[in-house]
Amino acid sequence: MTENAQQQPTAPTSELPTQYAPAEVEGTLYERWVERGYFAADAKSEKPPYTIVIPPPNVTGSLHLGHAFQHTLMDALTRRKRMQGYEALWLPGMDHAGIATQNKVEQQLAEEGKSRQDLGREEFVERVWQWKEEYGGRILGQMRRLGDGVDWSRERFTMDEGLSEAVLTIFKKLYDDELIYRAERIINWCPRCLTAISDIEVEYQEDDGELVSIKYGEGDETLVVATTRAETMLGDTAVAVHPDDERYKHLLGKRIKLPLTDRTIPVVADAHVDPEFGTGAVKVTPAHDPNDFEIGQRHGLESLTVMDERGVITVHGPFQGLDRFEARSTIVAALREQGRIVAEKRPYVHSVGHCSRCKTTIEPRLSMQWWVKVGPLAKAAGDAVRDGRVEIHPKEMSKRYFDWVDNMHDWCISRQLWWGHRIPVWYGPDGEVVCVGPNEEPPGTEAEGWTQDSDVLDTWFSSGLWPFSTLGWPERTPDLEKFYSTDVLLTGHDIIFFWVARMMMFGLYAMDGEIPFKTIALTGLVRDEHGKKMSKSNPNSVDPLDWMDAYGADAVRFTLARGANPGADVPIGEDWVQASRNFANKIWNATRFALMNGATVEGPLPDPSEMSATDRWILSRLNKTVAEVDAFYEDFQFAKLSDSLFHYAWDEVFDWYVELSKTTFIAGGPAAEVSKRVLGEVLDVTLKLLHPVVPFVTETLWTTLTGGESLVIAEWPTDSGFRDSGAEREIETLQQVITEVRRFRADQGLQPGQRVPARLALDGTALAPHEAAIRQLLRLQPEGDDFTATATLPVAGAQVALDLSGTIDVAAERKRLAKDLAAAEKEKAQANAKLGNEAFLAKAPDQVVDKIRTRLAKADEDIARIQSQLERLPAA
């Protein structure tokens, strides 16, 4: 714990309103933090650095619960480190989101009856920049609403001048090191977005299709192949069988007739073919299937492209001009007419790839593209984790990382778009290919026959540079020297492949082996309260801004943090946000009580010898909580640290210490002055511990309580080492007595505020000093002359005798309990009868039997409880 006398010498400055109204304080507080520069990091500072770069949201995006979740955790980490004395930098920014942003502007143009081709490349790109300035970046304002403590002075954009220079620099370096090359290969092509997309941007789903078996060849030289994409047969250049398949040995090396065409194609032997699958013969279409492409390369087969970039058939008269899906049914009909269809299975459910952005069915397509040779880069990325330089948290997620980096294919980085970083390669009139680096002039003009490559780079290429390009690389800037390597990358496990691996590869390569981050902390995904995935197309989708409007940003943040177990998905429901709002209100009301009763942070803490057991208990529990919270932070256990704080603050501080202190404050005197200082200390430290997760309500309360400038720059609490196990045992005993008597009162139907005469036998126990508190909390009156002990409760070595005469109708209560007891005994008898019936047990499903066993256990519990209540009732 900290010595508040040195830090915060001033007394509370004002009283608090009776209720907390988040909307009235959050916006004003946030702007004050920004104006005062609390979130701005200083590269010249001598403080140790702590750096987190934000996963840059798309410029087209808006704050969703996934953002709110991860931002809450990143904000908590940086706020705590700032309070611990680190020069904390949480760097914000946005991604230009190539396809998504271009689609937005093309949709705008379509509404005007135009296309990008109507504008031309230069004017279209200018139009995208205009869109970005007018509509892009809405999420940045929403981040302020959530309370993100980012350094706005360092905000970056993947298309800004500095980051664009970084892109050109690393492209040139990779090109010169022969790690970037151009080649014709099969890629994933989106006929809607008209661009290549990477493997990890393809979403697979089970679709209803058709499986048709087609007879190729004539007479004795026939075989049958099966396909779900009949339209691609127009591009077949072989049929492949396994070399050891005796059924087709006589056909190897021969050419057979390809139906619907005037071509013949060879039968080739290839070990890739599974002779046990289907007929053991597969059609080979090298230009439209990745596996077929590899077979074609091994056998020197021709690659025939039979579809254009929009999925329209470009060959063979009768089908030319048909859309791929229309061609499929037309070709099957033509084959059926010729008697070539051997079998048809419809519907045939199979996994089909779709564009993750527009959901169009992907078309494998042979295309000339730019590629990164990932072998050496991926090995370095794997080694950095294996040798412990980078830690993945939780550790069990390492397997997914290694599965990816150890088996990574070369990365297609070119996209057929206009919005993005244009590939810095120029082609000359005589076949020259020149890569142009930053600050280098193109080798020639268009008039001289030189043209620049028309493609742009994959968005993940520039975002892969994010940890160092945002700090000024390729220059060795003061920011780069101070804040690189970054400390934590906190992101969802779903983008290990998209982003994490890219940053590892590029960071190690560009920064001469320096890791981009020391720890990769992976989170799960936010789901609804039933564990279902949230989606804009589903009714379970939630706008976090709506919840913030209703309950405040702190309530949303605390709910998300309480669900954040490392790597695990996070269920969230509105009821839980309401509960978090109630917690904020509880903090507010407890602090109001403290202020009204003179709680203070002035002066040093009294010596423990001057404190009551209650005071020493709460300080002992406080220090244990400080130590526990610190340990959870270091292990990224946000759910556990939030839960620890919740139960300490609500259960121990607000429900017990505040209530026990009331008796002391009423009595006054030196003990009350000591407790006022202890209560001030407890609230001071508790608000500090809560601040990183719930910054707004804690800031308002702490500045009022202490008169301090801001929690953002306050000192993080430390464990002073103070422990008092004796006081903890004493207060646990006191809690046991109060809890037991409260339960008895509730069982007897007494109202919480109803006063009951009582005799307390506490002499010789640790409870003796607490009689006033026990009577206050349990609403127990002193015994009068006519006191009659109608119920006696022995608890923790003491006795509490109650006079319930005149407070309850004993006869009526006995009658009610007897009725409940009879019902419970009947339930038990019925459950026992079924569980004792062997015939029933033999036929009943396991879940039915389990349900009956549960009913039996519940009946036993009810019988024991009711019998105990009856025994405790006074005689009628």
Side-chain angles (χ1 to χ4, degrees), residues 348-404:
Y348 177 73
V349 179
H350 62 135
S351 181
V352 178
H354 296 260
C355 174
S356 62
R357 291 177 175 82
C358 71
K359 311 308 177 188
T360 299
T361 300
I362 289 301
E363 192 63 47
R365 174 180 170 84
L366 185 63
S367 180
M368 183 69 75
Q369 302 285 343
W370 286 94
W371 305 81
V372 171
K373 187 184 295 182
V374 299
L377 302 175
K379 182 182 184 304
D383 290 345
V385 175
R386 285 190 170 94
D387 63 24
R389 283 176 291 156
V390 178
E391 178 186 0
I392 292 180
H393 190 89
K395 291 187 183 300
E396 55 265 26
M397 286 286 180
S398 299
K399 183 180 183 303
R400 295 186 65 184
Y401 176 80
F402 291 132
D403 285 347
W404 178 251

Side-chain angles (χ1 to χ4, degrees), residues 618-631:
I618 198 63
L619 290 176
S620 182
R621 290 295 305 128
L622 176 60
N623 276 284
K624 284 185 177 179
T625 302
V626 170
E628 191 172 71
V629 167
D630 276 336

Side-chain angles (χ1 to χ4, degrees), residues 223-225 238-245 247-248 252 267-284 291-292 295 298-299:
L223 38 69
V224 174
V225 301
V239 172
V241 298
H242 193 275
D244 298 331
D245 195 331
R247 292 172 294 176
Y248 304 115
L252 290 179
V267 177
V268 299
D270 196 281
H272 170 76
V273 180
D274 180 1
E276 302 299 323
F277 183 78
T279 63
V282 297
K283 59 192 287 300
V284 182
N291 293 322
D292 293 4
I295 294 175
R298 288 193 288 271
H299 295 278

Side-chain angles (χ1 to χ4, degrees), residues 579 582-583 586 645-656:
N582 295 342
F583 180 51
K586 187 81 169 181
L645 284 169
F646 174 85
H647 288 295
Y648 170 72
W650 191 305
D651 298 344
E652 296 182 286
V653 178
F654 306 150
D655 275 359
W656 283 107

Side-chain angles (χ1 to χ4, degrees), residues 711-842:
L711 262 179
V712 180
I713 55 172
E715 186 177 338
W716 182 255
T718 55
D719 176 9
S720 71
F722 176 77
R723 300 288 191 277
D724 193 324
S725 57
E728 290 197 39
R729 286 194 300 271
E730 183 173 325
I731 300 306
E732 285 170 8
T733 302
L734 175 61
Q735 291 171 328
Q736 184 182 349
V737 170
I738 292 171
T739 301
E740 189 65 25
V741 177
R742 279 177 172 166
R743 184 181 295 118
F744 176 75
R745 287 176 56 109
D747 286 345
Q748 306 312 312
L750 295 175
Q751 295 300 314
Q754 189 172 352
R755 293 197 168 273
V756 178
R759 177 186 298 151
L760 306 183
L762 308 176
D763 291 345
T765 74
L767 298 171
H770 302 287
E771 179 168 352
I774 292 172
R775 288 189 177 276
Q776 172 70 22
L777 293 177
L778 291 173
R779 303 294 191 268
L780 302 180
Q781 296 176 183
E783 56 185 295
D785 294 338
D786 58 348
F787 178 83
T788 302
T790 59
T792 301
L793 307 176
V795 186
Q799 282 194 337
V800 180
L802 304 177
D803 183 355
L804 301 180
S805 59
T807 60
I808 61 171
D809 184 336
V810 176
E813 186 65 11
R814 281 190 176 280
K815 185 176 180 181
R816 180 184 71 79
L817 290 172
K819 183 179 178 181
D820 291 346
L821 181 61
E825 289 173 337
K826 181 179 179 182
E827 174 74 4
K828 178 179 180 177
Q830 290 175 341
N832 272 329
K834 287 188 176 180
L835 294 174
N837 185 335
E838 294 297 333
F840 170 78
L841 292 176

Side-chain angles (χ1 to χ4, degrees), residues 616-693:
R616 286 181 279 115
W617 161 73
I618 198 63
L619 290 176
S620 182
R621 290 295 305 128
L622 176 60
N623 276 284
K624 284 185 177 179
T625 302
V626 170
E628 191 172 71
V629 167
D630 276 336
F632 286 144
Y633 262 115
E634 295 306 314
D635 199 33
F636 302 98
Q637 296 280 0
F638 295 98
K640 290 182 179 179
L641 74 89
S642 299
D643 221 42
S644 175
L645 284 169
F646 174 85
H647 288 295
Y648 170 72
W650 191 305
D651 298 344
E652 296 182 286
V653 178
F654 306 150
D655 275 359
W656 283 107
Y657 184 69
V658 167
E659 291 301 314
L660 291 169
S661 297
K662 289 179 180 178
T663 307
T664 308
F665 293 151
I666 291 169
E673 295 307 310
V674 170
S675 289
K676 289 175 184 178
R677 179 64 189 89
V678 171
L679 180 54
E681 177 77 3
V682 167
L683 285 174
D684 172 29
V685 175
T686 301
L687 291 170
K688 286 176 178 176
L689 292 173
L690 284 165
H691 175 73
V693 180

